Structure formats: C-alpha cells, structure tokens
Amino acid sequence: MTAFYTEQQRSWQDHFDSRPLADRLEAAIVADRLDDGSAAFIASRDFFFLSTVDGAGRPTVSYKGGPTGVVAVLDERTLAFPHYDGNGMFLSMGNATETGQVGLLFIDLETPNRVRVQATATVSADDELLARWPGATLVTRAVVDEVFPNCGRYVHVHERVRASEYVPDAGGSAPRPSWKRLDVVQDVLPDADRTQGEGGVITFEEYVGKVASGTS
C-alpha cells in the first residue's frame, strides 16, 4: 500500500486487528483527486472545519463559515477558500503558511454526511480570487493530497435555523462584532476597528453575557 498511514496508526491497527480493514478502505475510498460527488458536496457547503499544524507540531482547528460555496472547487485537485476578518491571531493562516499542511472537514449536519480532505496549502494576500469573496482579506489554495468520504453515524442531526449575519454581503460589508467593543482591546485595535459609537465599549463580563445569550 501507499504511505497513507503512519507507523503509530499502523500500531493501533495491529492492536485492534484492523490493518486488513484499513488497507481495504484506503484502496476503496481514498483518492488523490475529487470525483463529481465530492466536488458537488464541497461546493454546496457554507461552512467547514480547518485543521492546521505549526512548525513545532502544535495543532489547531477552526470553524470557517461563509456563503454557500465558501470553498471553491477550482479543478479536481485544487480547492480555494477565503479568510475573513477575525481576531487578529492568524493561527490557521500562519500555520498553513509555515507548514503547508491542512485538513478540511465538510459536514452536512442535517443528512448527515461528511467528506474529509488532506491537502497542501499556500496563502496569499493578493490572489486574483479575492474578488470572488467580498470582504475576504486572504485566499488559501489547497492542493488535494487525499480525499475520502467519512461515515456520518456519530454526527448528531441538527436543523438549520439561519445563516450568520456576520458573513460579508455582496459589497463586503458585515456587522461589527461585539468583541471589538471590549475595553481591554481598544488601544491595540487597528485604527479602522476602534469603537466609534455603535454602543460604546463593553467589559469582558458584558461580552461573556452576550456570548451566552447568543447576541455577540
């Protein structure tokens, strides 16, 4: 077989006598390019989970939401997605730039259904695709290394209520998030983000209350 599995993954497979099953699944469902079904599923999503790892091996995972088609299928080997205004930490984008290794998890929480992608990524602040997603500040292009469907039996079934109001509109505008009103960050916010009206500054306790009530 290929080098899809690591030595430690093999060790656990052997512990549970699942190596033959793992090999069969790799041969049956793991591909290095998107088929029509996976491509259509990815293109229909308006959120995904992005995992990255830094140069010291420290991982992080982040929820990424946007409009339907937030991840564009450019061809059978290439995906692209935007980075919208965040908290200024740039953990995911920094990691992707440093190591190039990313994982993407796409879920339909209503069916449920899942597709997993492992890819090699590059991040750019001047990619021509920026115009595709108004309000985006960076674009990541991800070349598919492995893609495979994933059993959805442990995915709790959810009912969609509404899309996030913070997804930038066609002109790139979005409501200002409450955390940018926090008193403890006012002196370090970029000039364009500093509170000017809009309810004034708030304390961390007030912000936590907004988060708990779903009004942040």
Side-chain angles (χ1 to χ4, degrees), residues 60-85:
T60 190
V61 64
S62 180
Y63 170 95
K64 301 295 184 183
T68 298
V70 64
V71 175
V73 179
L74 303 183
D75 56 49
E76 64 181 3
R77 290 294 312 280
T78 314
L79 303 173
F81 54 88
H83 171 82
Y84 292 118
D85 176 61

Side-chain angles (χ1 to χ4, degrees), residues 176-198:
R176 193 166 185 272
S178 294
W179 74 263
K180 290 187 179 182
R181 295 171 53 199
L182 280 168
D183 52 7
V184 297
V185 302
Q186 292 307 300
D187 63 331
V188 292
L189 284 173
D191 289 342
D193 286 332
R194 299 209 176 167
T195 297
Q196 298 177 354
E198 300 182 35

Side-chain angles (χ1 to χ4, degrees), residues 25 28-31 35 38 113-117 147-152:
L25 287 174
I29 68 173
V30 178
D35 61 19
S38 293
N113 188 12
R114 290 192 290 175
V115 168
R116 296 172 65 171
V117 175
V147 55
F148 51 100
N150 210 190
C151 174

Side-chain angles (χ1 to χ4, degrees), residues 12-27:
W12 283 114
Q13 291 168 15
D14 292 339
H15 181 84
F16 288 100
D17 193 27
S18 69
R19 182 185 285 242
L21 174 60
D23 287 345
R24 184 66 55 82
L25 287 174
E26 180 191 353

Side-chain angles (χ1 to χ4, degrees), residues 98-142:
E98 185 173 8
T99 69
Q101 299 301 298
V102 300
L104 297 88
L105 175 61
F106 301 91
I107 308 179
D108 176 350
L109 294 170
E110 296 175 285
T111 303
N113 188 12
R114 290 192 290 175
V115 168
R116 296 172 65 171
V117 175
Q118 295 169 195
T120 302
T122 56
V123 183
S124 174
D126 57 6
D127 194 293
E128 63 184 11
L129 290 175
L130 275 169
R132 185 183 185 120
W133 297 283
T137 57
L138 297 170
V139 167
T140 298
R141 293 186 184 236

